[in-house]
């Protein structure tokens, strides 16, 4: 994935799941960080720092992933 132009970022994020074929890209916080890095939202360094933070804060990781998926579902 190339960095996503800002005008299409929400569409690319909404496309991380498709109900019709039960497709889901975001199974864990690492998937979200990887998507954000590939889309150009996070730098690799920031993604690494967040990954290390979430390793020690699993509840926050689960909550943040759930929040991101909730926003994505609203976009869809």
């Amino acid at each position: 994935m190339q960095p996503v132009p800002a005008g299409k970022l929400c569409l690319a994020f909404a496309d991380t799941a498709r109900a019709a074929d039960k497709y889901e890209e975001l199974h864990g916080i690492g998937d979200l960080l990887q998507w954000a890095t590939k889309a150009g939202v996070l730098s690799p360094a920031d993604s690494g720092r967040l990954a290390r933070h979430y390793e020690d804060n699993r509840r926050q990781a689960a909550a943040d992933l759930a929040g991101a998926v909730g926003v994505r579902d609203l976009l869809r």
Side-chain angles (χ1 to χ4, degrees):
M1 167 186 276
Q2 296 295 320
V4 179
K8 304 211 184 242
L9 188 59
C10 68
L11 298 175
F13 186 59
D15 199 35
T16 61
R18 294 187 297 270
D21 57 4
K22 298 180 183 176
Y23 174 81
E24 174 63 64
E25 252 183 70
L26 306 177
H27 299 283
I29 197 70
D31 296 330
L32 178 60
L33 294 175
Q34 183 178 26
W35 181 88
T37 303
K38 287 182 178 181
V41 176
L42 287 176
S43 70
D46 287 341
S47 182
R49 279 191 288 277
L50 282 169
R52 288 187 297 279
H53 169 77
Y54 284 133
E55 285 176 12
D56 296 330
N57 299 282
R58 299 214 181 253
R59 280 190 183 159
Q60 184 181 5
D64 290 352
L65 176 65
V69 168
V71 167
R72 181 206 51 203
D73 291 346
L74 287 173
L75 291 170
R76 296 185 80 240

